[in-house]
Amino acid sequence: MVKRAHRTRLPRTTGRQVPPEIADAIKGTTRRVRGLRTAAQWLEELSRLHVLSVEHGLGLHSDDPRIIVRDGELAQIGGPHAVFTVNLSAPDACVFEAFKRWFAEARKQIATPIRKRGPHSQNGKFTELEFNIWKDLKITEYCELLAWRTENTRATKADLGRWIGRQDANAVIATERALRNALKRLPALAGQVEHEMAQCPEGEQATSDRIARDISRAPRLSELG
């Protein structure tokens, strides 16, 4: 009796192939994101991704009262804010003392973002190491693809992951988790940028303006059909 030869089963190639125009857009986004190195640059980027999540109903952002989106733009980020009211007819010494008491009480409710160890050290400061992790996990590319997918529902999350080099389910989960966490920490990043701008307002403002112009000219995956 002749034995049948053993047949090796090859894995099936499943999922949709990336459309050529989307592949080009992904490459363009990756090139642009590689140039994001500072907190100010990433604040602009994450603000845009937050708006994408809101406008396309992606559910990646947290409903934070400190972040307000209006007419497709981030209208406010930061806070909570507080107002100190004072009687200007009172002597200066009384005004200063009243403010000290008010501020001490406010700080009991909202901790300072500055460490006591140094005048320029921040709690939970964002560094280039964390920015590089966001680049490696492709959080920008993934968010833009999710926005694009709202009008191209045949593509699955697994497809999107493969298109950006995140080949398995765990890799896609890690990317989405990192994206959600980054958007959740947007107010903290805004606080860091505000602190840095206070230290060097002209340089940081120039950087912020330049990045805003670059982002406005960059192609968007979500704009492609």
Side-chain angles (χ1 to χ4, degrees):
M1 182 176 181
V2 179
K3 293 183 179 180
R4 294 183 180 179
H6 176 71
R7 298 178 61 185
T8 302
R9 292 187 178 182
L10 298 176
R12 293 183 179 180
T13 301
T14 60
R16 297 184 65 204
Q17 297 300 311
V18 55
E21 68 275 15
I22 298 302
D24 291 339
I26 292 172
K27 292 178 182 178
T29 295
T30 299
R31 284 194 298 268
R32 179 177 62 79
V33 171
R34 285 200 195 107
L36 304 181
R37 295 183 177 86
T38 68
Q41 292 172 330
W42 274 102
L43 176 61
E44 296 280 359
E45 183 69 5
L46 292 183
S47 296
R48 185 178 67 81
L49 299 185
H50 181 98
V51 173
L52 271 182
S53 178
V54 172
E55 289 193 323
H56 292 271
L58 304 181
L60 299 168
H61 62 287
S62 57
D63 292 327
D64 193 323
R66 295 172 294 177
I67 305 176
I68 299 176
V69 175
R70 185 180 299 116
D71 297 328
E73 295 182 357
L74 210 62
Q76 176 184 310
I77 179 171
H81 303 280
V83 177
F84 173 69
T85 304
V86 63
N87 180 5
L88 293 177
S89 298
D92 288 355
C94 295
V95 173
F96 293 149
E97 184 61 30
F99 176 78
K100 286 172 60 178
R101 291 197 302 269
W102 173 85
F103 188 70
E105 186 61 31
R107 270 291 174 234
K108 291 179 182 178
Q109 302 176 44
I110 305 297
T112 177
I114 308 300
R115 293 184 187 273
K116 294 182 179 179
R117 293 181 180 179
H120 305 302
S121 179
Q122 284 198 314
N123 291 333
K125 183 176 181 179
F126 294 84
T127 65
E128 190 170 357
L129 175 62
E130 187 157 18
F131 301 151
N132 287 337
I133 292 175
W134 293 344
K135 294 177 188 179
D136 292 342
L137 293 179
K138 305 290 184 67
I139 66 170
T140 290
E141 294 90 331
Y142 183 67
C143 186
E144 290 188 347
L145 282 171
L146 285 176
W148 169 82
R149 191 179 73 134
T150 58
E151 298 179 1
N152 299 268
T153 54
R154 288 180 297 173
T156 66
K157 285 188 176 182
D159 290 330
L160 306 187
R162 285 188 298 100
W163 296 353
I164 61 175
R166 310 293 289 163
Q167 298 296 341
D168 57 70
N170 289 334
V172 175
I173 291 172
T175 292
E176 184 162 324
R177 184 186 299 119
L179 175 57
R180 289 178 182 276
N181 186 54
L183 295 181
K184 183 178 180 180
R185 298 171 65 195
L186 193 52
L189 181 59
Q192 177 174 322
V193 171
E194 186 175 351
H195 175 70
E196 291 175 353
M197 291 179 66
Q199 305 304 313
C200 184
E202 294 182 358
E204 287 295 334
Q205 186 60 50
T207 298
S208 179
D209 292 344
R210 178 177 61 80
I211 296 303
R213 290 194 299 271
D214 291 346
I215 290 177
S216 67
R217 292 194 294 265
R220 299 286 178 266
L221 287 172
S222 55
E223 295 172 356
L224 299 174

